[in-house]
Each structure stands twice: as C-alpha cells, then as structure tokens.
Amino acid sequence: MSILTKLRCITLDVTGTLIAYKGELGDYYCMAAKAAGQQCPDYKRVHEGFKLAYTEMAKKHPCFGFAEKIPNILWWKTCVRNSFVQAGYEYDDETFEKIFRRIYATFGSSAPYSIFPDAIPFLRWLRERGVTVGLVSNAEYRYRDVILPALGLNQGSEWDFGIFSGLEGVEKPDPRIYKIALTKVGNVAPEEVLHIGDSLRKDYLPARSVGMHALLLDRFKTADAVDWKKSGATVLPDLIATKEWLTSENLKCSDL
C-alpha cells in the first residue's frame, strides 16, 4: 500500500512551497519611491535594510503584533519606514506616506507573487482522494483573504483550513502552530498527518516534534538541502515528485 493511504490530512507551508516572490524587493520599493517623485533607492541596501527591520519587528512584536493588537497597517508602516532608515533613506512624513501606501497595497495583492504550476493540481488531487488539506504559514490575514484567492488558491476548492500566524498569535517554528493545525483537522492522529514545507527549522523539525510526518521541497536547489538529507529528512524537488512519492507502492511511513 502507498503512503497516501495511511494519511488523512496533509498540511503545507505557503511561500516557497505553493507560491514564490516575483522579482526583487527593490523592484517594488523603487516603483513606490519613483511614484512619489523620489529617486530609486539602492536595491541591495533596501534588501538588507528590510531584513534588519523585519527581524527587529518580528522580535519586538511577533505575529504581526497579534498580542498587542497592533493594526496590521501600522505594523507594516513601522517596518517599512525602518527598512528605509536602515538602508540610509529618510523621507518627510508626506512623502513617506505616499511611498508606504503604494508598497502596502502592492504586497496586499497578488502582484508580487507567482504560483508554482504544480500547486493547484496537487491540492485538488489530494482533496479528490478525501485527504484534508491545510495551510500553515507565518503570514497575516491578507494571505487568507486576498492574496491566495487572487492566485487561485481558494478555501473549499484547493484547501480546507488555514493556520496563519497573524491570526493565531503563534508562528513557526513554535510547535504549537502544528498542534493548532491538528486541532483544526479534528479526530485525526498526528501520525495520520504529513506536513510539506521548505525549511528544516520552521517546517520539518517542529512538525515531527508533535508526531506528524514531514518532508521538504527543494524547489530552488538550495545548498541547505544537503544538510536536510543528512539530518534524515525526505527531500523532493517539487509537488509532482511528491505525488509520485506518495503513491509509490515501494515506500512506507517509516521512510518519511
């Protein structure tokens, strides 16, 4: 019997697993600055500035400010302003407001994202076979309400339930987010659930720690995949290979 017959639910990470960013962060920051009559900021400096600002915000106000009930737009406004400051760019309030509004609107739409061509067929294939499909993502409400539907990933046709850190107040790699997923599924044992993601630290290890099976996708041929395999993780290139792996008669759950 194939592994698929042993599973009642499959959960998936979103960014890097089902969808990917298009272009560079600097592309969108540049367009926003130009629209406000400013020069295009340096791509590398903006990228590094954003990483520093986002890391700081996520540490001070995790889950997009969930516990403190910080409005989503205010959380991102602080993050974006600090990104520019870290990169060496400071604007007056009126100019920054114009730049930020465009950035916030852009990243609240499907424009900066593309969906992997194997995503929708794989999700529908699972649901047609009676497998419950869940999403587990470190993301805020706009993923669920706007971005995923705009990309054709709809609740009820491609996925059954979603766990988004900005709505739950828990984020990966905290194992509690996977326990929440198990609760959402209902009367299903952890060993009847498989999680698919692209991070050993955020996806594979915490999912395994609560008793779920897990595997990793290496869509971008990352150097980290060598270490993933050394750690014992099953690593596959995409969801087409995952489908073949799930239906193989030569594997068993102990191969996960």
Side-chain angles (χ1 to χ4, degrees), residues 109-123:
S109 72
S110 62
Y113 307 95
S114 61
I115 184 168
F116 291 110
D118 57 6
I120 290 177
F122 180 76
L123 299 178

Side-chain angles (χ1 to χ4, degrees), residues 66-87:
F66 178 89
E68 300 143 295
K69 295 182 171 58
I70 298 173
N72 191 68
I73 193 169
L74 180 58
W75 194 97
W76 280 112
K77 180 178 283 190
T78 305
C79 185
V80 171
R81 185 183 281 280
N82 290 343
S83 298
F84 279 117
V85 171
Q86 293 278 9

Side-chain angles (χ1 to χ4, degrees), residues 160-179:
D160 297 291
F161 70 90
I163 310 297
F164 301 94
S165 62
L167 296 172
E168 300 291 342
V170 183
E171 61 189 8
K172 300 186 287 185
D174 191 329
R176 289 182 297 164
I177 198 167
Y178 293 96
K179 290 181 180 179

Side-chain angles (χ1 to χ4, degrees), residues 132-189:
T132 300
V133 174
L135 306 181
V136 181
S137 177
N138 284 352
E140 32 104 339
Y141 78 94
R142 293 182 297 170
Y143 255 45
R144 181 195 66 184
D145 295 351
V146 182
I147 296 167
L148 295 181
L151 291 168
L153 292 168
N154 296 288
Q155 186 171 10
S157 56
E158 282 72 44
W159 51 281
D160 297 291
F161 70 90
I163 310 297
F164 301 94
S165 62
L167 296 172
E168 300 291 342
V170 183
E171 61 189 8
K172 300 186 287 185
D174 191 329
R176 289 182 297 164
I177 198 167
Y178 293 96
K179 290 181 180 179
I180 293 171
L182 290 172
T183 302
K184 291 275 188 180
V185 187
N187 189 26
V188 173

Side-chain angles (χ1 to χ4, degrees), residues 98-135:
K98 292 177 182 177
I99 294 172
F100 170 71
R101 288 285 176 177
R102 184 175 180 114
I103 290 172
Y104 187 73
T106 298
F107 282 94
S109 72
S110 62
Y113 307 95
S114 61
I115 184 168
F116 291 110
D118 57 6
I120 290 177
F122 180 76
L123 299 178
R124 290 181 178 175
W125 173 76
L126 288 176
R127 295 186 78 248
E128 286 168 0
R129 278 150 186 77
V131 178
T132 300
V133 174
L135 306 181

Side-chain angles (χ1 to χ4, degrees), residues 125 239-249 251:
W125 173 76
L239 292 174
I240 295 173
T242 301
K243 178 180 176 180
E244 294 173 354
W245 182 86
L246 285 169
T247 54
S248 172
E249 298 292 336
L251 297 172

